[in-house]
Amino acid sequence: MSVLRARATRWKVSRFLPLLLIPVLLAASTFPGEYRVPLVYWLLAVAAGVVFAVGGRWPVAMSLVLSGLAVAMFVIPAWGPSELVPYLGALAVVEAVTRGGVRTTLLVGSVWAAAWVAGHWGGHAPAFWRGATFVEALAYVGLPLLLGLYLRGQRELTASLAARAAAAEVTARAEERTALARELHDLVAHHMASIVLRVKVARAVLGGTDARVAEVLDDVGDTASGALTDIRRLLSALRDPALGAVPLLDAEVVHSEIERAVGRVRQGGFVVEADIDARLDGLDAIARLTLLRLVQESLTNVMKHADRGVPVRIVVARTAGDVRLVIRSGGVPGPSAPGHGLVGMRERAAMAGGRLEAGAHGAQWVVDATLPAQTPASDPAAVAEDVPCVDGPSAMPGVARSRGGAR
């Protein structure tokens, strides 16, 4: 960044160089008793230097103004180095073409060409219609355009290479994080899960033994379960750096973010029927973030591929031991739909201990996910709930309904 700022500063300073050189060129063209640069030429030349010095923010306007000033200076008789001043308009053309597009190139190029022709046709040149005039026109008009196009190409190539390098760096970091998460999962998480399972088997085998033994086994099991939860949290953080945003881990904020995602789909012209259960307390931090990401990615796919004429149905329902997510939309993406979103969604759900299924059901696309949730023993209503059906929101019992159409 410091190198770029230094280059920008040097370029801004160099813009004032023509303004400093113009008086020198005009003074060098003055010969007492033989030739003296007219006062009006002095004024036009200094004005051109000022426009070039302060016109860097508006390259097109600067080029047009300098072309107009060049016409007057071409018409006024000049001699020696003072004849170079009007060609400051050629430098302005180079800059405008470099920083502009096709329309800018056509505009500034045609105006500069007209200024050169008008200045030499009605100027002090002894003969205009001659072969050398056309050669000069091609040189003084064509070369600035070619140089500007070349510099623009180099500028676009540099920006493209920088963007590719940045994208490659992001991809490499993501691959490293994913590989590290996979290794940690294979080396640690499986062993911790095995310890928890063995502790449960030990308690079942020992049965009614000494209370102290049962207490030790409970402590080992709780410690292993806590470690397994921490490992899953770390793995999710490695796969998704946004996990560091702690507010997203709060159940109420997750619920509001889901509502906000539904609102964005409605603003996109879809009719959305949403049944969203606010009871997400049984989900741990990883599961809550996973639920939010699954909803956001699914609804993003809805806005990309679904038929706006078919209502979108989204259900987030709390059941006895899990949270069920069902999203139904009209229109089935083609077999060659790009991206690996579904693979990432399935991996995300599996990392949280759940599962996800997505596919076509008739003329609709259905995303059906389940995430494990702890149910308090004091909530008999939650234990009594049945697993919801995938047919739609109307089949989901025990859900706080927030049904509505397109806003």
Side-chain angles (χ1 to χ4, degrees):
M1 293 298 292
S2 59
V3 176
L4 295 178
R5 290 179 180 176
R7 290 180 179 177
T9 302
R10 287 196 297 268
W11 172 244
K12 291 180 180 179
V13 173
S14 64
R15 299 192 68 88
F16 289 86
L17 184 60
L19 183 59
L20 300 177
L21 291 178
I22 285 174
V24 177
L25 296 177
L26 298 180
S29 301
T30 301
F31 291 89
E34 295 185 9
Y35 177 77
R36 185 179 300 275
V37 179
L39 178 61
V40 63
Y41 198 95
W42 272 85
L43 296 177
L44 293 173
V46 173
V50 172
V51 171
F52 186 83
V54 301
R57 294 185 178 181
W58 311 278
V60 177
M62 176 188 65
S63 176
L64 298 180
V65 172
L66 289 178
S67 296
L69 294 175
V71 174
M73 286 187 284
F74 282 139
V75 172
I76 299 174
W79 184 88
S82 61
E83 292 183 326
L84 299 176
V85 179
Y87 292 99
L88 194 60
L91 295 180
V93 170
V94 173
E95 183 176 1
V97 173
T98 302
R99 297 169 58 182
V102 177
R103 294 182 179 179
T104 299
T105 302
L106 295 176
L107 176 61
V108 300
S110 59
V111 172
W112 171 245
W116 192 92
V117 172
H120 287 76
W121 192 356
H124 56 280
F128 180 79
W129 298 104
R130 55 178 182 170
T133 303
F134 294 98
V135 175
E136 291 178 2
L138 290 176
Y140 291 121
V141 176
L143 290 180
L145 292 175
L146 292 177
L147 180 58
L149 292 174
Y150 172 76
L151 294 178
R152 184 205 301 173
Q154 294 298 313
R155 186 176 184 179
E156 293 175 351
L157 178 60
T158 302
S160 176
L161 293 177
R164 290 183 182 180
E169 183 179 359
V170 172
T171 302
R173 290 183 178 181
E175 291 177 353
E176 291 177 359
R177 296 171 72 96
T178 302
L180 180 58
R182 188 182 300 113
E183 292 297 329
L184 286 175
H185 184 270
D186 293 340
L187 294 176
V188 182
H190 290 171
H191 296 291
M192 298 304 298
S194 178
I195 292 174
V196 174
L197 178 61
R198 283 177 170 80
V199 170
K200 293 181 179 179
V201 172
R203 288 204 60 183
V205 172
L206 295 177
T209 56
D210 192 345
R212 292 175 297 178
V213 176
E215 182 179 355
V216 171
L217 292 177
D218 290 339
D219 181 67
V220 173
D222 293 341
T223 302
S225 298
L228 185 60
T229 300
D230 292 338
I231 291 173
R232 285 178 175 173
R233 185 190 303 272
L234 174 61
L235 298 181
S236 296
L238 289 174
R239 288 177 175 264
D240 187 359
L243 183 62
V246 177
L248 289 180
L249 304 182
D250 184 83
E252 296 180 358
V253 176
V254 171
H255 182 269
S256 64
E257 289 291 330
I258 293 176
E259 292 280 3
R260 191 173 303 172
V262 172
R264 286 193 292 267
V265 178
R266 286 172 174 156
Q267 293 176 358
F270 290 85
V271 177
V272 182
E273 299 175 355
D275 294 338
I276 302 175
D277 196 335
R279 296 172 299 165
L280 302 177
D281 300 309
L283 295 175
D284 59 15
I286 302 304
R288 288 197 296 270
L289 180 64
T290 300
L291 175 63
L292 176 60
R293 290 289 188 261
L294 294 181
V295 171
Q296 291 174 335
E297 294 181 19
S298 298
L299 294 183
T300 298
N301 291 333
V302 166
M303 290 189 287
K304 288 181 178 179
H305 305 292
D307 183 4
R308 284 178 168 80
V310 179
V312 179
R313 296 184 177 182
I314 173 173
V315 177
V316 179
R318 176 68 183 274
T319 62
D322 54 35
V323 171
R324 184 79 172 273
L325 168 66
V326 179
I327 299 178
R328 302 175 66 89
S329 59
V332 179
S336 60
H340 304 281
L342 290 178
V343 176
M345 292 169 65
R346 290 191 181 97
E347 290 181 353
R348 189 185 294 274
M351 287 291 297
R355 56 94 187 164
L356 181 140
E357 297 177 359
H361 286 254
Q364 290 186 321
W365 184 266
V366 179
V367 175
D368 184 8
T370 302
L371 297 175
Q374 298 177 358
T375 302
S378 59
D379 188 5
V383 177
E385 288 179 356
D386 297 328
V387 176
C389 179
V390 75
D391 291 337
S394 59
M396 302 294 245
V399 177
R401 302 185 180 275
S402 59
R403 189 180 302 272
R407 296 178 182 176

